[in-house]
Amino acid sequence: MTKMMNTQVHIIGGGLAGSEAAWQLAQGGVRVRLSEMRGVEGTPAHHTDSLAELVCSNSFRSDDAQNNAVGLLHAEMRTMGSLIMEAADAHKVPAGSALAVDRDGFAAAVTERLAAHSNVEIVRERIDVLPASGLTIVATGPLTAAALAGSIGAATGAEALAFFDAIAPIVHRESIDMDVCWMASRWDKGDTKDYINCPMTRDQYLAFRQGLLDGDKTEFKEWERDTPYFEGCMPIEVAAERGEDTLRYGPMKPVGLDDPKTGRWPYAVVQLRQDNALGTLWNMVGFQTKLKHGEQVRLFRTIPGLENAEFARLGGLHRNTFINAPKLLDATLRLKSAPHIRFAGQITGCEGYVESAAIGLLAGRFAAAELAGETHAPPPFTTALGALLGHITGGADTTNYQPMNVNFGLFPPIEGRMKKASRRQLYTSRAKEALAEWMAAR
Ligand SMILES: Cc1cc2nc3c(=O)[nH]c(=O)nc-3n(C[C@H](O)[C@H](O)[C@H](O)COP(=O)(O)OP(=O)(O)OC[C@H]3O[C@@H](n4cnc5c(N)ncnc54)[C@H](O)[C@@H]3O)c2cc1C
């Protein structure tokens, strides 16, 4: 205990993740210096100086812990004494089965609770360089200030730090119709049949291209326009605009792909590549897009074999600073090359308020345990916390790592034929038991 009281953890960034990490440490008896630049300098998306400001929607999404992965994550965080969940519950506004909050009341509550905690010192300062020593948690989020991003790039290798996400939709494997699709290598090169292929006729392709051109899109924000994204991740609708055949010579190229049903190459194909080690999630290769979400679901379900597709994530393109976490971090979120530094929140490649706070919670607990000379076992993969952490620290594909919300596709699969609702309930009941056992063992 004496050792802990004489030691401090430096948290950089007082958003969702940094605030939760600070709370977990402080409650564990560890002193925290929480450096937050707002108050000295703003970001393009925040409007206030409050900690844990919600930059856009006021929703924490579904609060249904029986049937929904993010609802389950809420429940697990409440069990672990989350400040973010405490403040959200205290400032809840009516939103059906979703948990939505009064954003000002919520952020004020988080700020006040941390400011009043005797173990927390909040310092309004911008940090430009990763500290060379001392336990540190970097939780500077999707809009990490430029100088620090440069320092992170220098420590991780520039190619492991992204400034834009280019998100292709991700589909749950079990919702793909394999009577229509087939496995083959990319453009039939090589021996391994690693890609799922969805065949299209000429009419289907032309209608699909037209759908891309006509579909409603979201605009880039003013401050996103200066950040280049186009290296290899042009939105699919921009490629479609370039000409009738551009997609057929690009991501939808059918060359070499004999459809086993016809023995011929289709006119075009949509290819999906495995996205997680479990093989439950598959991403639509080259389909990063600014189409609105509703439009994506409607249009992508016209692709043969994807008529009943369930999307774990829809496509997008945003300014977003994040590291290639599965490559760079160990199982307790430490930078392998500089283990005094942990990362937490959206900068690790999780996506969303709740997920960011959840990873902050774990980072805080891991750091507290490390200071006490203990090992904090990560939560089991069958819990929402463990599934999300597992994705970030090893489960995801490192060659094209992109941000991800929590979803049941990150959980070890429960096999067998059953209704979707029954499967979800099995996931959540298994998670509750696993979390209880894990907490009892600590
Ligand atoms: C425009 C936009 C809209 C979004 N909309 C939603 C949404 O509707 N729903 C949703 O769930 N998620 C949304 N997100 C994602 C959202 O940002 C994250 O889910 C969440 O805020 C990330 O939490 P975080 O703690 O990682 O980062 P943040 O909450 O952004 O906190 C990071 C903090 O670090 C500070 N900081 C940055 N650099 C430095 C530095 N060098 N020194 C000191 N402090 C620094 C920042 O000021 C900030 O307070 C949105 C993101 C953006 C950019």
Side-chain angles (χ1 to χ4, degrees), residues 13 15-17 36-38 43 56-57 127 139-142 145 346 352-353 356:
L16 276 297
E36 168 52 56
M37 72 178 186
R38 284 177 295 119
T43 81
C56 187
S57 142
I127 303 295
T140 45
Q346 184 135 331
Y353 302 144
S356 297

Side-chain angles (χ1 to χ4, degrees), residues 137-189:
I137 297 177
V138 179
T140 45
L143 305 172
T144 296
L148 185 64
S151 175
I152 294 168
T156 58
E159 76 289 350
L161 176 71
F163 292 98
F164 241 96
D165 53 36
I167 298 180
I170 295 208
V171 182
H172 287 278
R173 172 72 167 76
E174 64 193 12
S175 68
I176 301 173
D177 185 350
M178 293 307 289
D179 290 337
V180 174
C181 307
W182 78 100
M183 304 287 304
S185 55
R186 184 131 173 93
W187 303 319
D188 218 21
K189 286 187 184 148

Side-chain angles (χ1 to χ4, degrees), residues 12-19 35-38 41-43 45-46 50-61 125-128 139-149 221 223-224 319 344-347 350-357 405:
I12 311 175
L16 276 297
S19 298
S35 300
E36 168 52 56
M37 72 178 186
R38 284 177 295 119
E41 180 179 324
T43 81
H46 292 82
S50 299
L51 301 180
E53 179 184 331
L54 305 179
V55 285
C56 187
S57 142
N58 67 332
S59 174
F60 281 31
R61 317 203 305 280
E125 61 182 352
R126 193 187 73 203
I127 303 295
D128 287 345
T140 45
L143 305 172
T144 296
L148 185 64
K221 301 202 169 53
W223 45 269
E224 289 181 313
R319 160 96 195 271
Q346 184 135 331
I347 198 166
C350 65
E351 168 82 27
Y353 302 144
V354 184
E355 288 84 343
S356 297
N405 285 124

